[in-house]
Amino acid sequence: MCNKCKHASYDVQQKLDVIERIRNSETRIKVSRELGVPESTLRGWIKDKNKLRTFLDELNEGGLTLELPEPTKKLVIPSHFKLLLKSLHTSPPASFVF
């Protein structure tokens, strides 16, 4: 597998659309080849169909919220890093705390 290769990502609605195509008599192998997605991945989407649908329904109804942590104002780094920066003849950014 190529580490530099970019893989397509599919949101929940797109996955459900793909599942619907397969349900409407398109073969998994055909859809797999068209999308460049392994057939095993499609099987996983089909297996998780109910979870995907529930997630999308809750998201659309506003039942799900995404809470992100507050951004850290200062980055605490080990004190030995200060010595490394000194040896490189550079000073740490102001946001660094030793």
Side-chain angles (χ1 to χ4, degrees), residues 15-47:
K15 291 176 183 180
L16 289 170
D17 292 343
V18 169
I19 292 168
E20 190 64 26
R21 285 176 59 185
I22 295 168
R23 198 172 143 239
N24 289 331
S25 301
E26 283 191 62
T27 63
R28 280 193 307 246
I29 193 72
K30 178 184 175 202
V31 174
S32 170
R33 287 179 181 157
E34 281 181 21
L35 299 177
V37 174
E39 193 177 356
S40 60
T41 299
L42 296 182
R43 283 194 305 270
W45 293 354
I46 292 166
K47 179 181 154 200

Side-chain angles (χ1 to χ4, degrees), residues 83-91:
L83 296 172
L84 176 64
L85 289 173
K86 257 188 188 178
S87 71
L88 297 172
H89 304 290
T90 186
S91 57

Side-chain angles (χ1 to χ4, degrees), residues 64-75:
L64 290 178
T65 58
L66 180 62
E67 293 183 27
L68 298 175
E70 288 289 321
T72 304
K73 301 267 192 265
K74 302 251 181 203
L75 176 63

Side-chain angles (χ1 to χ4, degrees), residues 47-58:
K47 179 181 154 200
D48 294 337
K49 176 179 69 173
N50 291 336
K51 290 179 187 176
L52 293 169
R53 196 170 312 243
T54 300
F55 176 82
L56 189 62
D57 290 344
E58 289 180 5

